[in-house]
């Protein structure tokens, strides 16, 4: 068993690379990937994503507006409606990204707060995107009482200190294919220091394919390379990493189902 805790199944290439979502899932299942969380990034794309994944019981969803997509619109009433779908097990992705759009920091912070309030109202954990906004991310999580629902800091590339503070707030840390990149020395160190019981694995596909697929389009099947690399870093067996990160996923997202 292995779970891809963060992918964008609606954004993969269905003209050349894959025939449809069933094809993508089959390629992943052939490598032991059993469950998937397809993450929403905008209001408008959500209904079509849900239609695509509807036939598959082993595909979960989240709804949210990505911090780099806030220009596409944010509608709390509609998002609340999306959040009530039984397939939706999390709120996000939401958060702060000061790397690409620092000029929108203020708007990002406000919409991030609204996601946290919604997550608390519907009692579903948060999927958080955070880049070059360590202080503000942690401060808003604390101020809004995000601890009540918990969640995950996805595609983590920040410091060990930030990871530890997030874990103290009851959050998990999700590791993507970036960990396999030669340049990612700090992230490798972070992974080696954090307890396996607080880690998830993800592809963030179609982005960020791990080695040896770097440069190609990513897909959920490649989450296996991420888990294998973590096993190597931590001196654990692949089976232990696969089982523990899967257990973590279900504890976080499906505990009250
Ligand atoms: Zn993200
Ligand atoms: Zn993402």
């Amino acid at each position: 068993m292995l779970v891809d805790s963060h992918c964008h199944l609606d954004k993969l290439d269905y003209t050349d690379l894959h025939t449809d979502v069933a094809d993508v899932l089959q390629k992943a299942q052939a490598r032991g990937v059993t469950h998937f969380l397809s993450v929403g990034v905008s209001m408008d794309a959500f209904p079509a994503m849900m239609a695509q994944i509807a036939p598959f019981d082993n595909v979960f969803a989240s709804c949210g507006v990505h911090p780099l997509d806030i220009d596409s619109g944010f509608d709390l009433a509609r998002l609340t409606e999306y959040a009530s779908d039984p397939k939706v097990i999390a709120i996000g992705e939401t958060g702060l990204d000061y790397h690409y759009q620092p000029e929108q920091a203020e708007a990002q912070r406000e919409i991030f707060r609204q996601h946290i309030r919604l997550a608390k109202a519907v009692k579903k954990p948060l999927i958080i995107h955070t880049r070059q906004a360590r202080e503000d991310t942690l401060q808003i999580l604390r101020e809004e009482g995000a601890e009540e629902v918990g969640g995950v800091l996805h595609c983590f590339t920040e410091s060990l200190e930030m990871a530890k503070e997030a874990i103290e707030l009851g959050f998990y840390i999700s590791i993507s294919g970036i960990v396999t990149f030669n340049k990612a020395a700090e992230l490798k160190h972070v992974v080696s220091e954090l307890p396996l019981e607080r880690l998830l694995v993800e592809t963030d596909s179609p982005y960020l394919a791990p080695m040896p697929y770097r440069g190609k389009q990513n897909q959920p099947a490649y989450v296996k390379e991420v888990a294998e690399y973590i096993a190597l870093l931590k001196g654990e067996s692949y089976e232990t990493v696969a089982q523990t990160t899967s257990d973590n996923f279900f504890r976080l997202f499906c505990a009250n189902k």
Side-chain angles (χ1 to χ4, degrees), residues 30-232:
R31 305 193 72 213
V33 188
T34 51
H35 295 80
F36 312 83
L37 204 177
S38 192
V39 173
V41 294
S42 73
M43 302 297 314
D44 291 345
F46 181 81
M49 179 183 86
M50 291 305 277
Q52 269 181 307
I53 66 171
F56 311 104
D57 286 342
N58 56 344
V59 181
F60 306 106
S62 74
C63 62
V65 177
H66 191 287
L68 299 176
D69 282 306
I70 53 181
D71 282 342
S72 71
F74 176 81
D75 177 341
L76 184 59
R78 224 165 99 214
L79 197 62
T80 307
E81 224 171 90
Y82 292 167
S84 70
D85 189 302
K87 235 175 156 49
V88 169
I89 58 169
I91 304 304
E93 55 185 292
T94 179
L96 304 174
D97 192 322
Y98 296 170
H99 179 73
Y100 287 110
Q101 292 184 1
E103 73 285 359
Q104 291 216 339
E106 186 63 49
Q108 288 184 19
R109 286 193 289 268
E110 178 51 33
I111 287 176
F112 182 27
R113 287 182 191 277
Q114 299 215 33
H115 279 84
I116 300 172
R117 291 170 198 165
L118 171 62
K120 288 167 69 180
V122 299
K123 297 187 167 54
K124 294 184 184 188
L126 288 151
I127 297 174
I128 291 168
H129 172 109
T130 178
R131 189 146 187 221
Q132 286 180 18
R134 294 175 187 176
E135 300 293 308
D136 285 4
T137 300
L138 290 168
Q139 191 187 336
I140 289 174
L141 288 176
R142 287 198 188 95
E143 283 175 2
E144 296 292 336
E147 203 169 348
E148 204 178 299
V149 287
V152 58
L153 268 54
H154 105 93
C155 195
F156 192 77
T157 53
E158 302 295 327
S159 67
L160 179 60
E161 192 192 359
M162 185 189 193
K164 285 180 171 170
E165 285 187 49
I167 287 172
E168 261 174 50
L169 282 173
F171 280 74
Y172 289 76
I173 304 297
S174 181
I175 305 302
S176 71
I178 292 176
V179 75
T180 68
F181 299 173
N182 285 333
K183 282 195 312 187
E186 190 186 1
L187 181 60
K188 292 179 211 285
H189 176 67
V190 167
V191 169
S192 68
E193 291 288 319
L194 293 179
L196 191 54
E197 286 64 33
R198 301 307 290 188
L199 296 184
L200 301 181
V201 287
E202 67 171 88
T203 56
D204 205 8
S205 46
Y207 319 107
L208 296 167
M211 299 291 278
Y213 308 108
R214 196 170 179 188
K216 295 185 181 168
Q217 187 179 92
N218 203 358
Q219 58 176 293
Y222 300 163
V223 74
K224 188 172 187 194
E225 274 68 23
V226 179
E228 282 174 343
Y229 201 89
I230 292 175
L232 194 77

Side-chain angles (χ1 to χ4, degrees), residues 196-197 236-246:
L196 191 54
E197 286 64 33
E236 296 278 359
S237 69
Y238 167 74
E239 288 72 22
T240 300
V241 172
Q243 186 64 52
T244 308
T245 54
S246 299

